[in-house]
């Protein structure tokens, strides 16, 4: 009876040495004539424990982590027995509180299955959503998504059903489904984890979107910074096609749909939907004016559903469990679950999927265990580089789109970056402007010029050059960028800058020239 | 490509493509349909084969897609991923984004620049390492991160990055 050992093939696990661990397990097993089957699963998202090695002991999966190559021999010595007092034994994976307290829906299969196994996918509920949707009229499919309350998980949080309805209503021969996998925000990796850990889920979500609105072609626009995700998804597409889930007459129905994987080229702005469309069309990623909305005139001028990975990956479950099931989770107008990503200077970082409503404090301390450095957490940036920096006084804010907007912050794609008290918030504010300048598409003046001027103004403040006047100038500049920019890059860069000024004014005193 | 010199941007005086380079460029172009929307896949094909997009491939691409050379140049220069000069033997991309900053990326960046004696988009004098900046590798809970030739490395420290650089120099 072959011992099944799971070693994740996921970018974070690999970054911590998982491939070397898998290879060592293989070679020790061979040397000791132990019959093992190594399964390269997706990551469970308990990133501080990667590489997290699991063993199937018949009555459940037991975990060990973080495992290094030097730990492998010792694991074989104890026969992977869970009861052994191995210093890195974690017990039953399902019982780990950090995991058990989550509401894993979108990430249900992550870490459990072999991401590329169609059998595993089917066995854990895969394709059931699509099969249910195939029995429904397009208007009913869209209605169910609308009733679920699903909002775009990329950051704008626009009601998904309204977007799909708009595309369905267009009379056009050619429509497209575009998946925005340009997950450029620092502190975010949920899109990557789904593509690497449960790629068929994304394919299934895109299929449901396609039959809902009448599209026969889809694109996934994936960052060039995610090479493993590219390899995994390429293979997933190939297997899905071979099994009749993509191509002509899907599963012997009248529907045709295929997906083309396209790779970005290092431009953060291509995460903005219209810039992404420009890039797909072979142009510089410049932002388009809206209207027209992509739902009406999108890719190649055709009606296009463009949604984030998590939005699409959340769809199949709505067609397995129903709209009310999804809508019943959450708070306020934030319905369903959010895969939150806890990152930066945090002891226990990773993927935390919960219904909306948990507080930032609970995430930072109960899940996260406080900072990795052991020093006090001083500032937390939620929502990526365009999100506000929040001090401890705001840690009771619940994870909810409107609660964050109410404090001039942004929930965005759900990434949380933690900083301890060694952070220099004026330096962070400067980086916000610097990043905007580097990534600006250049089309509108407030962003293109304002970001460069913003760096200069902050440098003057930090040098003590007319600090008060320059602080006022900085606020005025932020006002211009906020109200005058064509898109959220220029428009929201002021959020982190103004939050730094508001909550951490002491950091904007003059520093010596040597530091600058 | 001269070591220690900035490699970004196209140069009118760039060398003509040699026959091997020319063949790879033509092959990359031929792998895709001749439509403008195929431009990024074509550029990726060329850079994957050669390590960069030679400025003298621009007229070939423009001609195949019926675009102006300026348009093609405009796309190449817009996207940070594409480089216009051959890199060194290894490409080391350091993440400069917030989650990595929170875990000490700035100190690692400083150390690497000083050890290699170069800035971003430059190659070390011995030709072994080209340094580039990247903004997020999606490894944010295991920061700081870097990518060395397509492999992501996390939980970096000065010791770890030094070992990675030593490895580049030994391997050559």
């Amino acid at each position: 009876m072959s011992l099944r050992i799971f070693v994740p093939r996921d970018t974070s696990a690999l970054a911590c040495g998982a491939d070397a661990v898998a290879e060592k397990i293989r070679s020790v097993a061979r040397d000791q004539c132990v019959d093992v089957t190594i399964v390269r699963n997706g990551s469970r998202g308990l990133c501080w424990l990667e590489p997290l090695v699991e063993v199937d002991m018949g009555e459940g999966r037991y975990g060990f982590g973080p495992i290094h190559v030097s730990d492998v021999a010792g694991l074989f010595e104890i026969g992977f027995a869970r009861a052994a007092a191995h210093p890195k034994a974690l017990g039953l994976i399902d019982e780990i509180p950090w995991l058990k307290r989550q509401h894993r829906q979108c990430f249900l299969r992550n870490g459990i299955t072999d991401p590329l196994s169609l059998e595993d996918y089917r066995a854990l509920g895969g394709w059931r959503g699509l099969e249910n949707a195939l029995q429904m009229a397009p208007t009913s499919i869209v209605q169910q998504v609308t009733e679920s309350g699903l909002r775009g998980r990329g950051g704008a949080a626009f009601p998904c059903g309204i977007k799909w309805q708009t595309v369905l209503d267009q009379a056009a021969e050619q429509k497209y489904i575009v998946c925005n996998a340009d997950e450029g925000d620092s502190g975010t990796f949920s899109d990557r984890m789904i593509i690497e850990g449960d790629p068929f889920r994304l394919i299934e979500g895109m299929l449901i979107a396609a039959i809902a609105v009448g599209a026969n072609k889809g694109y996934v626009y994936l960052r060039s910074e995610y090479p493993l995700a590219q390899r995994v998804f390429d293979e997933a597409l190939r297997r899905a096609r071979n099994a009749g889930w993509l191509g002509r007459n899907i599963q012997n129905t009248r529907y045709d749909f295929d997906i083309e994987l396209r790779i970005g080229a290092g431009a953060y702005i291509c995460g903005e939907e219209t810039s992404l469309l420009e890039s797909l069309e072979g142009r510089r990623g410049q932002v388009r004016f809206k209207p027209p909305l992509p739902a009406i005139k999108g890719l190649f001028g055709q009606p296009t559903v463009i949604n984030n990975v998590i939005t699409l990956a959340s769809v199949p479950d709505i067609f397995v469990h129903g709209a009310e099931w999804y809508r019943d989770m959450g708070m306020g107008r934030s319905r369903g679950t959010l895969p939150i990503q806890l990152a930066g200077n945090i002891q226990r970082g990773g993927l935390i999927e919960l219904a909306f409503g948990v507080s930032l404090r609970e995430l930072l301390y109960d899940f996260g265990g406080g900072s990795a450095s052991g020093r006090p957490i001083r500032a937390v940036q939620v929502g990526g580089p365009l999100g506000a920096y929040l001090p401890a006084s705001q840690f009771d804010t619940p994870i909810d789109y409107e609660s964050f907007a109410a404090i001039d912050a942004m929930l965005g794609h759900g990434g949380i970056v933690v900083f301890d008290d060694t952070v220099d918030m004026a330096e962070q504010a400067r980086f916000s402007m610097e990043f905007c300048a580097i990534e600006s598409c250049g089309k509108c003046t407030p962003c293109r010029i304002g970001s460069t001027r913003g760096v200069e103004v902050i440098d003057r403040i930090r040098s003590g050059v007319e600090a008060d006047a320059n602080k006022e100038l900085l606020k005025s500049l932020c006002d211009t960028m906020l109200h005058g920019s064509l898109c959220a890059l220029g428009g929201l860069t002021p959020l982190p800058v103004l939050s730094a000024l508001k909550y951490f004014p002491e950091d904007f005193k003059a520093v010596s020239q040597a530091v600058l | 490509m001269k070591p220690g010199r900035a490699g970004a941007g196209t140069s009118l005086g760039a060398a003509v493509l040699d026959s091997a380079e020319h063949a790879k460029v033509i092959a990359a172009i031929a792998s895709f349909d001749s439509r403008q929307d195929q431009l990024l896949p074509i550029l990726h094909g060329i850079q994957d084969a050669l390590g960069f997009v030679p400025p003298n491939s621009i007229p070939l691409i423009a001609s195949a897609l019926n675009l102006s050379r300026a348009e093609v140049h405009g796309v190449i220069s817009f996207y940070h991923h594409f480089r216009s000069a051959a890199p060194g033997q290894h490409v080391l991309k350091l993440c400069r984004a917030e989650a990595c900053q929170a875990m000490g990326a700035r100190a690692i960046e400083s150390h690497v620049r000083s050890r290699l004696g170069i800035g971003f988009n430059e190659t070390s004098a011995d030709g072994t390492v080209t340094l580039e900046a990247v903004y997020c590798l999606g490894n944010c809970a295991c920061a700081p991160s870097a990518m060395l030739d397509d492999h992501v490395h996390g939980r970096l420290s000065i010791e770890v990055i030094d070992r990675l650089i030593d490895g580049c120099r030994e391997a050559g």
Side-chain angles (χ1 to χ4, degrees):
Chain A
M1 179 61 197
S2 191
L3 186 64
R4 295 217 308 160
I5 301 177
F6 298 80
V7 182
R9 184 168 71 136
D10 159 274
T11 293
S12 284
L14 261 56
C16 297
D19 274 349
V21 168
E23 191 40 53
K24 185 71 175 174
I25 291 173
R26 192 169 294 122
S27 80
V28 172
R30 191 183 51 232
D31 292 346
Q32 298 186 4
C33 300
V34 180
D35 181 13
V36 309
T37 302
I38 296 174
V39 178
R40 302 307 301 270
N41 54 345
S43 170
R44 295 273 190 169
L46 282 66
C47 295
W48 79 99
L49 294 173
E50 293 290 7
L52 175 59
V53 173
E54 298 181 37
V55 182
D56 191 344
M57 302 300 286
E59 79 269 26
R61 302 242 297 248
Y62 288 85
F64 299 84
I67 294 300
H68 302 125
V69 167
S70 54
D71 294 320
V72 174
L75 288 172
F76 276 87
E77 264 161 46
I78 63 163
F80 285 92
R82 53 170 172 79
H86 190 287
K88 293 184 177 180
L90 301 167
L92 268 171
I93 291 285
D94 288 341
E95 292 301 313
I96 296 176
W98 204 92
L99 201 49
K100 200 169 175 184
R101 290 166 58 191
Q102 296 192 28
H103 307 135
R104 291 244 165 150
Q105 300 298 336
C106 194
F107 277 73
L108 184 87
R109 286 183 282 265
N110 273 65
I112 297 179
T113 60
D114 169 355
L116 291 169
S117 162
L118 284 162
E119 293 77 37
D120 283 4
Y121 188 68
R122 168 68 84 180
L124 250 75
W127 306 121
R128 274 174 58 203
L130 174 63
E131 283 162 351
N132 289 340
L134 282 166
Q135 307 301 318
M136 299 166 69
T139 35
S140 304
I141 299 173
V142 175
Q143 195 178 348
Q144 191 151 325
V145 171
T146 304
E147 280 168 8
S148 74
L150 176 64
R151 291 162 72 177
R153 295 281 185 254
F158 187 82
C160 187
I162 296 182
K163 187 180 276 188
W164 288 22
Q165 184 68 55
T166 308
V167 179
L168 173 58
D169 288 343
Q170 305 307 306
E173 283 299 312
Q174 180 69 63
K175 298 182 186 178
Y176 297 102
I177 308 297
V178 172
C179 171
N180 186 340
D182 195 74
E183 186 183 45
D185 287 347
S186 178
T188 64
F189 42 87
S190 57
D191 293 352
R192 175 185 66 65
M193 286 185 70
I194 285 289
I195 292 174
E196 293 175 356
D198 198 8
F200 297 125
R201 175 184 280 275
L202 175 59
I203 293 171
E204 188 176 353
M206 289 178 74
L207 274 159
I208 294 172
I211 66 176
V213 306
N216 65 357
K217 181 74 195 278
Y219 291 84
V220 173
Y221 186 92
L222 178 68
R223 305 177 73 217
S224 55
E225 293 89 340
Y226 286 172
L228 177 64
Q230 177 183 352
R231 288 197 291 278
V232 174
F233 201 71
D234 264 333
E235 181 59 22
L237 287 176
R238 197 188 64 79
R239 294 190 188 198
R241 259 177 225 123
N242 285 351
W245 292 105
L246 289 170
R248 307 288 305 275
N249 302 111
I250 310 285
Q251 300 293 301
N252 300 314
T253 64
R254 61 183 175 84
Y255 292 105
D256 302 334
F257 185 66
D258 210 335
I259 296 172
E260 191 176 321
L261 177 63
R262 288 286 202 89
I263 308 302
Y268 174 78
I269 191 57
C270 287
E272 197 280 332
E273 63 178 7
T274 64
S275 166
L276 192 159
L277 296 176
E278 286 292 293
S279 190
L280 278 177
E281 294 185 17
R283 287 192 285 274
R284 293 162 66 90
Q286 294 221 297
V287 175
R288 295 178 181 172
F289 294 107
K290 289 188 289 197
L293 293 174
I296 296 171
K297 259 184 134 78
L299 185 62
F300 305 120
Q302 301 302 120
T304 303
V305 163
I306 171 162
N307 277 137
N308 168 258
V309 172
I310 301 299
T311 311
L312 290 162
S314 298
V315 166
D317 290 335
I318 291 168
F319 290 85
V320 174
H321 305 295
E324 292 96 76
W325 161 84
Y326 199 76
R327 202 182 57 229
D328 281 348
M329 296 185 278
M331 70 166 273
R333 292 202 295 118
S334 302
R335 312 313 309 177
T337 63
L338 182 69
I340 297 154
Q341 305 119 87
L342 191 56
N345 198 331
I346 191 79
Q347 221 182 87
R348 296 189 294 265
L351 196 296
I352 304 168
E353 185 174 0
L354 292 166
F356 288 93
V358 65
S359 75
L360 191 50
R361 189 180 306 282
E362 194 179 335
L363 291 164
L364 296 172
Y365 296 103
D366 296 348
F367 279 90
S371 72
S373 64
R375 302 183 65 97
I377 294 177
R378 183 163 182 239
V380 170
Q381 187 177 38
V382 181
L386 304 176
Y389 284 93
L390 299 174
S393 65
Q394 303 300 316
F395 288 178
D396 291 311
T397 310
I399 297 299
D400 158 55
Y401 295 114
E402 280 65 45
S403 298
F404 268 73
I407 57 165
D408 292 325
M410 186 176 70
L411 183 52
H413 185 52
I416 298 175
V417 178
V418 180
F419 293 83
D420 72 12
D421 66 351
T422 59
V423 68
D424 176 345
M425 289 307 302
E427 190 169 28
Q428 294 308 121
R430 185 193 192 278
F431 178 76
S432 294
M433 286 290 186
E434 183 192 0
F435 182 70
C436 185
I438 290 165
E439 300 294 341
S440 175
C441 81
K443 186 159 176 174
C444 79
T445 306
C447 173
R448 184 184 74 250
I449 307 286
S451 51
T452 297
R453 297 285 95 87
V455 171
E456 294 163 357
V457 173
I458 293 173
D459 278 343
R460 287 202 294 271
I461 295 169
R462 294 176 83 207
S463 305
V465 173
E466 294 181 73
D468 288 337
N470 275 305
K471 277 176 198 163
E472 288 313 303
L473 181 59
L474 182 59
K475 288 177 193 163
S476 173
L477 172 62
C478 284
D479 188 65
T480 299
M481 289 176 74
L482 227 134
H483 297 291
S485 297
L486 181 56
C487 83
L489 177 55
L492 296 183
T493 286
L495 240 66
V497 176
L498 292 171
S499 67
L501 270 171
K502 173 179 175 181
Y503 292 120
F504 308 96
E506 61 273 25
D507 287 18
F508 287 81
K509 293 211 198 43
V511 294
S512 73
Q513 281 300 106
V515 173
L516 286 176
Chain B
M1 144 121 177
K2 286 211 185 100
R5 276 190 61 206
T10 57
S11 153
L12 289 173
V16 171
L17 296 175
D18 67 37
S19 61
E21 282 175 334
H22 187 270
K24 286 184 175 156
V25 170
I26 296 297
I29 294 171
S31 315
F32 299 97
D33 293 336
S34 298
R35 294 190 315 267
Q36 179 163 12
D37 69 272
Q38 301 289 289
L39 181 50
L40 261 77
I42 287 169
L43 293 172
H44 276 299
I46 293 171
Q47 180 150 312
D48 288 348
L50 295 175
F52 69 116
V53 182
N56 275 352
S57 60
I58 291 175
L60 298 169
I61 300 166
S63 168
L65 300 189
N66 198 26
L67 296 170
S68 71
R69 285 173 291 152
E71 271 176 297
V72 176
H73 169 82
V75 170
I76 295 169
S77 58
F78 182 88
Y79 295 95
H80 298 123
H81 178 80
F82 298 125
R83 54 183 87 90
S84 295
Q89 279 143 21
H90 302 279
V91 177
L92 177 61
K93 301 190 192 201
L94 297 179
C95 179
R96 299 189 81 229
E98 286 87 345
C100 288
Q101 290 169 10
M103 288 297 281
R106 287 187 181 97
I108 290 176
E109 177 189 324
S110 238
H111 171 80
V112 172
R113 288 168 74 138
S114 141
R115 179 179 167 183
L116 294 177
I118 55 177
F120 289 120
N121 302 316
E122 296 181 346
T123 298
S124 58
D126 63 1
T128 53
V129 183
T130 294
L131 191 60
E132 293 181 350
V134 70
Y135 296 92
C136 199
L137 293 165
N139 189 39
C140 319
C142 299
S145 305
M147 185 184 275
L148 180 60
D149 301 330
D150 254 25
H151 292 287
V152 177
H153 297 265
R155 297 182 184 146
L156 293 179
S157 61
I158 290 185
E159 293 72 37
V160 173
I161 201 86
D162 272 343
R163 267 188 272 126
L164 288 176
I165 292 173
D166 291 341
C168 292
R169 293 181 147 172
E170 277 148 34

